[in-house]
Structures are given as structure tokens and as C-alpha cells.
Amino acid sequence: METLKPIILGIIQGLTEFIPVSSSAHLIIIRELLHWEDLGLSFDMAIHLGTLLALILYMWRDWYEVITRRRDLLFLIVVATIPGAIFGLLLEEVAESYFRSLTLIGLAMSIFGIVLFSVDRKSTHNRTLKDIKLKDALIVGFGQVLAIIPGVSRSGATITSALLCGFKRDDSARFSFLLSVPIIGGAGLVSLLKIIRNPISVSITGVSLGILSSFIFGYIAVHFMLNYLKRHNTNVFVYYRLIVGVFLILFSLIKR
């Protein structure tokens, strides 16, 4: 069972990292509902490395173009990464404790689900990544800061911010995923080093299995999102967020 736990958490991480429903929220929810030990933010960020590898593998052509032909886009990705990196370091301890309550997650799931619905509905959806400017990168970058709160969703915050700037849904997701690489990579490596220096209750084998499962299911999730948003809006994710959000709020009230 101890080996099965990180595998299940890795599957959940992989399936929810690139879908705007918050992977960090789902990792906390499953542990609360099943009464599993909280392995902490370091473990959560370590298994993000699996989804990071899946993302790099799936989008290697995009990164090849960015590095060889779109240096302007590479610069904007760096700019958009800075706010999230700074606030992530400043609020790491707060995120480890106060931001992990089911009530807060339920509120974040519900509120930002409504925000996503409203922004997607009003967006012009007429811009592509060829049109991206410094202002757009900054808006998306500061939107990513909100993802420190479990329930907001990193992909949800960045996709919503890009939609607010008038980008097409699939291009919003593509920029969101490109932006995920440096922020998840940095945070994941730092957390993995912490685990190696100060081992947590799960073994290195368990962490490795969690990373592997998140890699497999993360690859599936990236493929799904980029193809789904070419033809559909984000309503299905909004409905899901509202259902889960209301459930968590009611569950928290009953639990008291």
C-alpha cells in the first residue's frame, strides 16, 4: 500500500496538472478523504517533475522553434516566469501550511471556476502566439502567481489570463504549457533536492514511481487539452470546479 500511494498520487498529478482544475488541490483532497499522511509540498512538487518531462517530450517541436526561431517568445516566457518564481519563494512556507485547507480550496475552485467561465465567454479568441506582446506576458505571469493557492490551478490561471488578452483557447493553453516548463522545473528540482537531503516518509523508490506515473498520465493530459480546446470551450471544467468546490465547502462544514 505504501508503494501504491505515490503511484496513485502521481496519476492524479499527471491527469490534473494541465487541465484547469488544480493538481495541488486534488492531491490534498485525495489524502484528506482517504486519511492518507500528507507527504508535504516537497513531495507534491517532486512528482511535478514527471509532468514536466511529459510536457517537454510532447512539445519538443514547440521548444525547438522557440529556441531557434522565436527568441522573442523565449524572452517573453522568461519575463512571465519571474513573478511566479519570486512569489513562490516568498510564500513557500505559507503555501505549505495555511493554503492547504479544504475550505480555502473549495472557495478557490468555485470562485476561479466562475472567473474562467466569465473570461472565456467574453474573450475575443482572435489572437495567436504570433501576436503576443510584453504586456500579455506580464498579465499571464502575474496570473500565475495566484496558482500558489491550491484550487486556483496553474494552468487555469494562465489560460484564463491569456483568454483575457484575447488569445484563442488552444493558443492560450500552448503558452500556458510553455510557461510551465521553467516554473515547474525549478520548483520540482529544489523540492527533489530537499527530499534527498532530508528524506520524508516515502522512499526514493516511492518518489520515483510517483514521478513515472505522473509522466505517463501527464502526457495523456497534454494531448487531450491541446486537442480539446481547438473545438470546445472550457465549460466542462467550470462545471467540474463548481461541483467539487461546493462539495468541499459542505464537507468542511459537516466535518466541524
Side-chain angles (χ1 to χ4, degrees):
M1 186 61 183
E2 293 305 313
T3 302
L4 187 61
K5 285 181 183 179
I7 294 175
I8 292 174
L9 293 174
I11 292 172
I12 294 171
Q13 161 64 27
L15 288 176
T16 57
E17 172 63 29
F18 303 113
I19 296 174
V21 296
S22 181
S23 61
S24 57
H26 281 75
L27 292 175
I28 295 170
I29 291 168
I30 192 68
R31 285 189 292 243
E32 285 287 333
L33 295 181
L34 297 179
H35 304 291
W36 285 358
E37 175 190 358
D38 188 348
L39 301 178
L41 192 60
S42 292
F43 173 79
D44 291 356
M45 292 309 303
I47 60 174
H48 274 64
L49 291 175
T51 47
L52 173 67
L53 293 173
L55 185 60
I56 293 174
L57 179 62
Y58 191 91
M59 299 186 67
W60 72 268
R61 290 184 180 85
D62 295 75
W63 274 107
Y64 179 79
E65 182 176 354
V66 166
I67 293 171
T68 59
R69 302 176 185 175
R70 292 293 311 275
R71 298 293 175 85
D72 59 322
L73 182 55
L74 180 61
F75 169 73
L76 294 178
I77 290 171
V78 173
V79 168
T81 300
I82 294 173
I86 292 174
F87 281 91
L89 290 173
L90 292 176
L91 298 176
E92 181 180 5
E93 291 186 6
V94 179
E96 181 80 51
S97 53
Y98 297 108
F99 286 175
R100 295 169 78 84
S101 77
L102 290 183
T103 303
L104 179 60
I105 293 173
L107 288 171
M109 290 282 283
S110 303
I111 293 171
F112 285 93
I114 295 171
V115 171
L116 174 58
F117 176 82
S118 178
V119 171
D120 191 12
R121 186 177 181 184
K122 295 179 180 179
S123 177
T124 57
H125 302 294
N126 61 359
R127 301 179 66 196
T128 69
L129 285 184
K130 294 180 180 180
D131 307 315
I132 193 168
K133 306 296 183 184
L134 178 60
K135 178 182 176 181
D136 304 315
L138 288 172
I139 290 174
V140 176
F142 278 100
Q144 184 169 236
V145 172
L146 296 173
I148 295 172
I149 304 173
V152 171
S153 168
R154 186 188 312 279
S155 61
T158 49
I159 289 173
T160 301
S161 299
L163 289 172
L164 185 65
C165 295
F167 287 93
K168 294 180 178 179
R169 295 186 184 96
D170 55 321
D171 280 85
S172 296
R174 195 168 292 277
F175 185 65
S176 170
F177 296 164
L178 288 170
L179 185 57
S180 294
V181 170
I183 198 75
I184 295 177
L189 287 173
V190 168
S191 296
L192 195 57
L193 288 174
K194 286 183 179 180
I195 291 174
I196 293 172
R197 292 173 183 171
N198 301 291
I200 53 179
S201 58
V202 63
S203 65
I204 294 298
T205 300
V207 174
S208 301
L209 290 173
I211 292 174
L212 177 61
S213 58
S214 69
F215 166 78
I216 295 171
F217 286 88
Y219 191 93
I220 294 171
V222 173
H223 177 77
F224 165 75
M225 277 298 291
L226 289 176
N227 285 278
Y228 182 85
L229 291 179
K230 288 180 181 179
R231 301 179 295 274
H232 305 283
N233 58 33
T234 59
N235 286 358
V236 65
F237 309 115
V238 173
Y239 301 148
Y240 177 81
R241 290 179 67 101
L242 291 174
I243 291 171
V244 174
V246 171
F247 167 78
L248 290 177
I249 293 171
L250 293 176
F251 178 81
S252 299
L253 292 173
I254 295 172
K255 191 176 179 182
R256 291 178 184 176

